[in-house]
């Protein structure tokens, strides 16, 4: 039967209005409460539940779809039905069914991915958006990514949608591409496409904030695999320009992309030319903790060269004071770890080491590191069960910098005890670096 809440057509054969059946069941059960999904007018939902692109001319009495393996085979065949309404109903139902892991795996084995790829270039904007959303759910599985990337043409179609379609479709296509790049092997296949880095960098300059954020996450995964192509496409200058964006999420994503670029020798030279360490110094006092974490993470690579260390000597007092202040943040062990690593890099310069010994030695020794009972594995502190949920030690929380890698097919759960012992080791290394003396002395 038709479910207005899920926007799916679930009955096999129906000769009457499904809402009459829903009302009859409610009366037989003697329900006293008001059900907004069965009353007139239909689909009385919140405004945020309404889709941005509506399905036109949908007749619910013409649906011939159902649950179970039989129904999934029917909707898989109906994706290429000559009847437009049947095709649209099948696509809406598949979008609901792929959110169930068992049904998603069954549809992957039925090669539904290939049928969806054929519908990507349809003239109907509703079909384009729903196809991208369905592919996003299927791309969360290893088998789904393998089937999707077996046809590299999908990358060309996604880039075409990202650059030429309306905002809703651009967002859906960007989300699909971002999901495909979570796997490192998939990033290698995507980078084989011509000018994909250049096209994404064009869209990063002037697009909607949410779409730009997805593109930056995609570029970060691609930069981690190969830094040569983005450096040739002037990605360093583009990411540097995004540092002044008003949205802290974009600033964090741009810094993360720049971190991947600075892993290359050319990226380190460009960081010295643009004096990136000096540029990042004001961000150490930013109100957003995500910006501070990203800035210190990038500074770990900008302070590796000899030129950067001698340049940092000119504003040594301000830089070391801010970094030591960040080291006294026991609520964020990740921020402590990165800040202490930057100080270790700077202590290679004799003048900075002497300054640290004279002015910061006492504060460094007083750095407090949390115990495993005080830390839940994230960089942000929140009340129990509010932002992280009851299963907070094994969940991946979006928009929260997690220490553990809890997503993907090969999730590596990091032991909290071992991580905190690593922070303790880095603190001892910092104290040793401050007190180190050359053989000449």
């Amino acid at each position: 039967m038709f479910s207005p809440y899920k926007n799916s057509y679930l009955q096999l054969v129906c000769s009457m209005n499904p809402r009459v059946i829903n009302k009859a069941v409610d009366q037989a059960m003697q329900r006293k409460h008001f059900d907004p999904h069965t009353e007139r007018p239909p689909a009385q939902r919140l405004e945020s539940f309404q889709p941005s692109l509506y399905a036109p001319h949908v007749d619910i009495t013409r649906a011939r779809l159902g649950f179970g393996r039989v129904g999934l085979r029917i909707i898989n065949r109906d994706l290429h039905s000559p009847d437009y309404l049947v095709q649209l109903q099948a696509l809406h139902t598949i979008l609901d069914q792929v959110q169930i892991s068992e049904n998603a795996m069954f549809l992957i084995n039925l090669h539904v991915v290939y049928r969806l790829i054929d519908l990507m270039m349809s003239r109907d904007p509703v079909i384009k958006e729903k196809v991208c959303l369905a592919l996003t759910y299927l791309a969360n599985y290893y088998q789904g990514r393998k089937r999707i990337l077996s046809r590299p043409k999908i990358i060309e179609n996604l880039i075409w949608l990202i650059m030429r379609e309306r905002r809703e479709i651009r967002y859906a296509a960007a989300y699909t591409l971002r999901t495909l790049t979570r796997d490192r092997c998939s990033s290698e296949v995507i980078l084989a496409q011509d000018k994909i880095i250049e096209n994404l960098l064009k869209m990063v300059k002037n697009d909607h904030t949410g779409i730009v954020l997805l593109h930056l996450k995609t570029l970060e995964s691609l930069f981690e695999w190969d830094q040569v192509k983005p450096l040739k496409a002037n990605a360093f200058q583009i990411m540097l320009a995004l540092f002044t964006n008003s949205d802290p999420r974009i600033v964090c994503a741009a810094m993360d992309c720049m971190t991947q670029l600075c892993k290359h020798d050319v990226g380190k030279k460009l960081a010295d030319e643009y004096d990136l360490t000096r540029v990042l110094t004001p961000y150490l006092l930013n109100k957003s903790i995500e910006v501070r974490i990203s800035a210190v993470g990038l500074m770990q690579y900008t302070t590796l060269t000899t030129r950067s260390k001698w340049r940092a000597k000119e504003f040594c007092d301000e830089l070391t004071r801010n970094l030591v202040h960040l080291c006294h943040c026991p609520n964020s062990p990740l921020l402590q770890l990165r800040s202490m690593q930057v100080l270790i890099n700077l202590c290679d310069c004799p003048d900075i080491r002497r300054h640290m010994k004279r002015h910061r030695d006492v504060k460094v020794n007083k750095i407090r590191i949390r115990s495993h009972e005080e830390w839940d594995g994230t960089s942000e502190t929140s009340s129990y069960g509010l932002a992280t949920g009851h299963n907070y030690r094994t969940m991946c929380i979006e928009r929260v910098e997690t220490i553990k890698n809890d997503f993907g097919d090969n999730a590596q759960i990091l032991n909290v005890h071992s991580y905190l012992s690593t922070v303790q080791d880095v603190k001892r290394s910092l104290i040793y670096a401050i007190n180190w003396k050359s053989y000449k002395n």
Side-chain angles (χ1 to χ4, degrees):
M1 57 198 310
F2 176 70
S3 175
Y5 181 76
K6 297 181 68 176
N7 197 16
S8 298
Y9 307 88
L10 311 177
Q11 72 279 5
L12 288 174
V13 178
C14 184
S15 59
M16 62 182 298
N17 191 342
R19 295 189 180 88
V20 178
I21 301 176
N22 293 349
K23 280 191 174 183
V25 172
D26 291 341
Q27 291 179 4
M29 296 179 64
Q30 297 181 355
R31 290 188 176 180
K32 300 298 183 180
H33 65 277
F34 172 75
D35 188 359
H37 303 304
T38 57
E39 298 293 331
R40 294 286 184 177
Q44 296 181 356
R45 295 174 290 182
L46 296 175
E47 184 178 359
S48 59
F49 277 75
Q50 301 297 331
S52 58
L53 297 175
Y54 297 91
H57 311 296
V58 175
D59 185 5
I60 62 174
T61 62
R62 297 179 59 182
R64 297 181 57 84
L65 311 177
F67 277 131
R69 300 297 172 87
V70 178
L72 294 178
R73 293 181 186 275
I74 293 175
I75 61 177
N76 188 32
R77 290 196 301 266
D78 287 347
L79 283 177
H80 285 173
S81 174
D83 192 340
Y84 170 74
L85 294 181
V86 173
Q87 185 185 43
L88 196 60
Q89 292 165 4
L91 184 59
H92 276 278
T93 307
I94 278 187
L95 182 57
D96 292 328
Q97 297 303 310
V98 295
Q99 301 180 34
I100 306 173
S101 59
E102 182 181 358
N103 294 344
M105 293 301 299
F106 184 76
L107 288 171
I108 290 174
N109 294 329
L110 289 180
H111 305 287
V112 70
V113 171
Y114 302 143
R115 296 178 181 266
L116 292 175
I117 293 176
D118 295 337
L119 295 175
M120 286 187 68
M121 305 311 295
S122 174
R123 294 183 178 180
D124 189 357
V126 177
I127 292 180
K128 294 179 183 178
E129 184 186 26
K130 301 302 179 183
V131 165
C132 291
L133 293 177
L135 288 175
T136 301
Y137 284 104
L138 295 175
N140 289 319
Y141 303 93
Y142 168 77
Q143 294 85 350
R145 290 195 298 271
K146 186 177 180 181
R147 293 287 176 86
I148 291 174
L149 294 176
S150 63
R151 288 191 178 180
K153 186 180 179 182
I154 186 178
I155 307 301
E156 300 178 4
N157 295 340
L158 288 175
I159 293 299
W160 193 91
L161 294 177
I162 288 172
M163 299 188 68
R164 293 175 176 84
E165 280 295 337
R166 63 181 69 180
R167 183 174 60 181
E168 295 85 359
I169 301 177
R170 292 202 312 270
Y171 184 86
Y175 208 95
T176 304
L177 187 61
R178 185 254 186 279
T179 308
L180 288 174
T181 55
R182 285 184 174 181
D183 189 1
R184 190 169 184 178
C185 297
S186 303
S187 300
E188 182 182 8
V189 178
I190 295 173
L191 281 171
Q193 302 294 322
D194 295 335
K195 295 184 178 180
I196 182 171
I197 299 293
E198 291 81 354
N199 294 329
L200 289 177
L201 289 176
K202 290 179 183 178
M203 302 307 297
V204 161
K205 294 180 180 179
N206 43 13
D207 207 338
H208 192 264
T209 302
I211 303 175
V212 171
L213 188 62
L214 290 175
H215 289 334
L216 290 175
K217 296 293 184 181
T218 303
L219 290 173
E220 180 185 356
S221 301
L222 297 178
F223 291 174
E224 185 180 3
W225 178 260
D226 184 12
Q227 296 92 27
V228 177
K229 289 184 179 180
L231 287 173
K232 291 182 179 179
N234 295 329
F236 189 95
Q237 290 79 4
I238 296 175
M239 296 302 154
L240 185 61
L242 291 177
F243 285 5
T244 58
N245 195 284
S246 58
D247 194 333
R249 298 176 300 168
I250 293 182
V251 176
C252 292
M255 289 181 179
D256 294 338
C257 291
M258 187 75 81
T259 302
Q260 303 299 331
L261 294 177
C262 289
K263 292 180 180 180
H264 197 271
D265 293 338
V266 178
K268 293 185 179 68
K269 293 181 180 179
L270 289 174
D272 291 339
E273 293 180 2
Y274 284 90
D275 199 5
L276 204 55
T277 304
R278 181 61 179 174
V279 173
L280 292 172
T281 303
Y283 293 95
L284 299 179
L285 301 177
N286 195 280
K287 296 180 179 179
S288 175
I289 185 173
E290 290 86 0
V291 174
R292 281 179 279 172
I293 291 174
S294 299
V296 179
L298 175 56
M299 198 173 289
Q300 290 181 108
Y301 293 91
T302 61
T303 55
L304 290 175
T305 60
T306 305
R307 179 179 176 182
S308 63
K309 294 169 185 174
W310 283 98
R311 176 68 180 96
K313 187 178 65 172
E314 300 180 5
F315 49 95
C316 173
D317 184 69
E318 177 186 3
L319 181 60
T320 56
R321 182 176 63 253
N322 294 339
L323 289 172
V324 172
H325 175 72
L326 295 180
C327 291
H328 287 271
C329 296
N331 293 339
S332 179
L334 178 61
L335 185 60
Q336 284 184 306
L337 182 64
R338 292 183 175 183
S339 301
M340 288 188 290
Q341 185 59 52
V342 174
L343 290 173
I344 292 174
N345 296 341
L346 294 175
C347 284
D348 288 342
C349 179
D351 294 337
I352 298 180
R353 184 170 63 249
R354 193 178 303 110
H355 177 81
M356 288 287 296
K357 179 65 177 176
R358 183 179 303 173
H359 299 91
R360 316 292 179 201
D361 191 18
V362 177
K363 291 186 177 180
V364 168
N365 287 299
K366 291 182 179 180
I367 293 177
R368 176 179 173 271
I369 297 175
R370 304 183 75 179
S371 63
H372 66 280
E373 297 177 350
E374 299 174 330
W375 184 45
D376 60 354
T378 63
S379 62
E380 290 186 352
T381 56
S382 59
S383 60
Y384 176 75
L386 179 61
T388 57
H390 297 289
N391 198 16
Y392 66 96
R393 287 195 181 276
T394 58
M395 287 181 61
C396 178
I397 305 98
E398 294 293 334
R399 297 183 298 275
V400 176
E401 180 71 26
T402 53
I403 303 299
K404 299 168 293 185
N405 182 20
D406 290 342
F407 61 87
D409 301 301
N410 299 319
Q412 298 177 355
I413 306 302
L414 185 63
N415 189 3
V416 176
H417 297 268
S418 63
Y419 190 86
L420 293 177
S421 64
T422 302
V423 180
Q424 293 280 2
D425 294 339
V426 173
K427 177 184 176 181
R428 287 191 289 268
S429 300
L430 175 59
I431 296 175
Y432 176 79
I434 294 175
N435 297 321
W436 186 81
K437 296 181 180 180
S438 62
Y439 66 94
K440 294 182 178 180
N441 296 329

